[in-house]
Amino acid sequence: MDVIIKKNYEEICNEAVRIIHESWEKKKNLVLGLATGRTPIGVYQRLIELNKKGEMDFSRIITFNLDEYLGLDESHPQSFACYMDKNLFQYVNIKRENIFRLKGKPEDIEKHCQEYEEKIRAVGGIDLQLLGVGRNGHIGFNEPGSSLSSRTRPKALTQSTVEANASLFKNKERVPRYCLTMGIGTILDAKQILLLASGKEKFYAIKGCVEGPITASVPASALQLHPQAKIIVDEEAAWFLDRKDYYKWVYENRLKF
Ligand code: F6R
């Protein structure tokens, strides 16, 4: 696991985009796993800029989203489908047939989740998975207690996640309580993982993710098992890390190895 500590949100987004762009340069039909929420917004803005400047072509890129609220149609303004259109897809030249996402109202939930896993396998797996992290350490919507080998499935959200996301809904009572999410096992199958975190409210999650024991109680800690995981955080999110200076030293000296 590489821990990259940057000054602020702007810098973590720049670093993530640099890595995504580099991966795309090596593989133009890059398979990206994408997250929603507040954290990746700056990344998507920068990807849009690169696309507009002609520096990153999305025509062969394939995407899979991590999760979706159960019970919301694609057209619901708070659905993750809508979020992706608003924050990325409508501004870049991605092909609609290359966008894969979990449905909020599938006819058969189990079948839909299995088919999602099969689709990921059929394109050769996810090359680069972008992640945020919940204050409680969730990745995707794998809440604390999720099996570390879980696959795409329905999950109940915790009360703290419902509360954290309530500000985006007009009426807190309407925040969905259930979701479909890629499992931790699904996420760990990605060839490369970038987890981004910014701000003080993430320091507990980052401490557990990077320096805690690997435990289902902090799902992000499972990333310690991944050979190509990069945790890109700002100073506030890194605040509680014991080996902060070491991570900075390793990063600054990486070209000398
Ligand atoms: C979003 C997702 C979640 C978020 C996490 C952090 O698709 O799967 O795990 O990444 O809840 O959300 P923000 O970035 O809003 O703090």
Side-chain angles (χ1 to χ4, degrees), residues 66-68 70 102-103 106 109 112-113 153-154 179-181:
L66 269 174
D67 41 18
E68 182 57 279
L70 264 180
L102 287 157
K103 288 185 182 151
I109 291 182
H112 181 55
C113 292
R153 71 211 181 294
C179 65
L180 294 183
T181 180

Side-chain angles (χ1 to χ4, degrees), residues 217-235:
S217 297
V218 184
S221 66
L223 302 184
Q224 291 175 31
L225 296 167
H226 197 282
Q228 291 293 336
K230 289 188 167 55
I231 312 299
I232 310 174
V233 293
D234 64 11
E235 289 281 357

Side-chain angles (χ1 to χ4, degrees), residues 30-80:
L30 192 68
V31 182
L32 279 174
L34 298 176
T36 58
R38 297 167 190 89
T39 311
I41 300 256
V43 172
Y44 297 149
Q45 285 169 346
R46 285 159 177 76
L47 290 178
I48 292 166
E49 279 165 30
L50 285 181
N51 185 247
K52 276 205 183 118
K53 285 194 279 179
E55 290 173 23
M56 187 166 169
D57 173 27
F58 275 68
S59 65
R60 294 178 61 205
I61 288 181
I62 298 171
T63 64
F64 285 87
N65 262 84
L66 269 174
D67 41 18
E68 182 57 279
Y69 287 121
L70 264 180
L72 301 192
D73 275 324
E74 270 193 26
S75 58
H76 189 288
Q78 263 70 47
S79 71
F80 292 158

Side-chain angles (χ1 to χ4, degrees), residues 2-7 200 203 206-207 210-211 231 233-253:
D2 291 332
V3 184
I4 303 173
I5 303 174
K6 294 281 173 182
K7 230 187 292 158
K200 280 199 283 285
F203 76 72
I206 291 303
K207 172 74 182 169
V210 176
E211 293 179 345
I231 312 299
V233 293
D234 64 11
E235 289 281 357
E236 287 191 351
W239 178 73
F240 212 37
L241 293 176
D242 287 332
R243 292 187 289 273
K244 223 184 323 185
D245 292 340
Y246 173 69
Y247 306 135
K248 285 184 183 171
W249 183 85
V250 170
Y251 180 73
E252 279 155 21
N253 291 284

